[in-house]
Amino acid sequence: MRKAPLSLKPHIECVLPTSAMVMAAGLGKRMRPLTATRPKPLIDVAGRSLLDRALDGVAAAGIEHAVVNAHYFADQIEAAVKARKSPATIDISDERAALLETGGGITKALPLLKGDAFYTINADNMWIDGPVDTLRLIAQAWNPAIMDALLLLVPLSRAHGYEGRGDFHMDGLGHLTPRTGLKVAPFVYSGVQIISRHLFDGEPVEPFTMWRAWNKALESSRMFGISHPGLWFHVGTPASIGETEALLLEV
């Protein structure tokens, strides 16, 4: 009898990570000219900024602490965070001195992040929950005994606004292998994950991508995925804003 996919087999008990980091420091070059005067996370989609939508998801899941990193138009990011009432506590990880990319940004923010594992969320992606709150869905499947990273994945066929060849292959138990060469992979990384703090231990605060941490998890067979049952949108260009808003009207 074939075992159920990880997305259908929650872990014993749902324990939410106590912190979430929203990645909001990027330059947003593909979103020009809209990013000439504001950072990409503060661009509105259907009347709500991308940053607010990400933090709304954090608050809705009951996570009371968030960290937001800021580099490009950092003052605007800080003002937007200060205007919010939830999550209860939002800290800024200041990257004004140097843009550190995803991995370096997390390493710099480690003193602010709580717990052995935490969420990371890319601010240029949007999700709509399926039957279960998305962040709680990931937490239900998170098992620190066997996992160092658990990625929310979107089937390539449902990855709205995404133009690549996919990122990962996933077996029936949720183990991930990266796409190689010019081949196509059936799953796209959504920009949402739970990841273990120790993958960044000893790393210097310098620019590096998430792959440095992911490769550690892959080498030890502790990198997993879960398929998102709801909707997902990559908002990467000015044209994608209108496309996303049109799709949202159909929801």
Side-chain angles (χ1 to χ4, degrees), residues 22-112:
V22 179
M23 314 300 294
L27 300 177
K29 293 181 178 180
R30 294 182 65 231
M31 192 61 83
R32 292 175 178 168
L34 298 180
T35 49
T37 57
R38 56 184 158 168
K40 183 177 179 181
L42 296 188
I43 288 174
D44 283 355
V45 177
R48 195 96 177 121
S49 78
L50 292 167
L51 178 60
D52 276 331
R53 288 181 178 276
L55 289 171
D56 288 348
V58 171
I63 303 156
E64 297 187 349
H65 177 248
V67 175
V68 178
N69 63 341
H71 170 79
Y72 186 61
F73 287 114
D75 291 348
Q76 293 185 32
I77 295 289
E78 284 186 328
V81 165
K82 192 174 295 185
R84 291 187 57 93
K85 295 182 179 179
S86 62
T89 304
I90 308 176
D91 293 316
I92 293 289
S93 182
D94 193 334
E95 294 184 23
R96 285 179 175 87
L99 183 60
L100 296 170
E101 301 187 49
T102 50
I106 292 171
T107 302
K108 187 178 191 303
L110 282 181
L112 299 172

Side-chain angles (χ1 to χ4, degrees), residues 6 17 27 63 116 129 137 141 151 153 184 200 219 232:
L6 183 62
L27 300 177
I63 303 156
D116 294 330
D129 295 333
L137 178 74
L151 282 58
L153 302 178
V184 173
F200 302 91
E219 288 169 4
W232 178 84

Side-chain angles (χ1 to χ4, degrees), residues 184-214:
V184 173
F187 290 97
V188 176
Y189 174 50
S190 72
V192 179
Q193 66 176 335
I194 296 176
I195 194 163
S196 294
R197 170 186 295 271
H198 78 82
L199 292 179
F200 302 91
D201 287 346
E203 294 291 354
V205 178
E206 65 181 15
F208 66 91
T209 72
M210 194 74 71
W211 277 101
R212 188 183 293 182
W214 283 349

Side-chain angles (χ1 to χ4, degrees), residues 91-164:
D91 293 316
I92 293 289
S93 182
D94 193 334
E95 294 184 23
R96 285 179 175 87
L99 183 60
L100 296 170
E101 301 187 49
T102 50
I106 292 171
T107 302
K108 187 178 191 303
L110 282 181
L112 299 172
L113 290 161
K114 302 174 182 179
D116 294 330
F118 44 81
Y119 293 99
T120 73
I121 300 169
N122 293 348
D124 58 353
N125 298 320
M126 288 174 48
W127 75 86
I128 293 179
D129 295 333
V132 178
D133 176 281
T134 299
L135 298 184
R136 288 184 174 274
L137 178 74
I138 308 173
Q140 287 173 359
W142 173 251
N143 183 353
I146 62 171
M147 299 175 183
D148 283 330
L150 177 60
L151 282 58
L152 181 72
L153 302 178
V154 181
L156 181 59
S157 60
R158 294 197 286 108
H160 300 295
Y162 175 81
E163 299 175 352

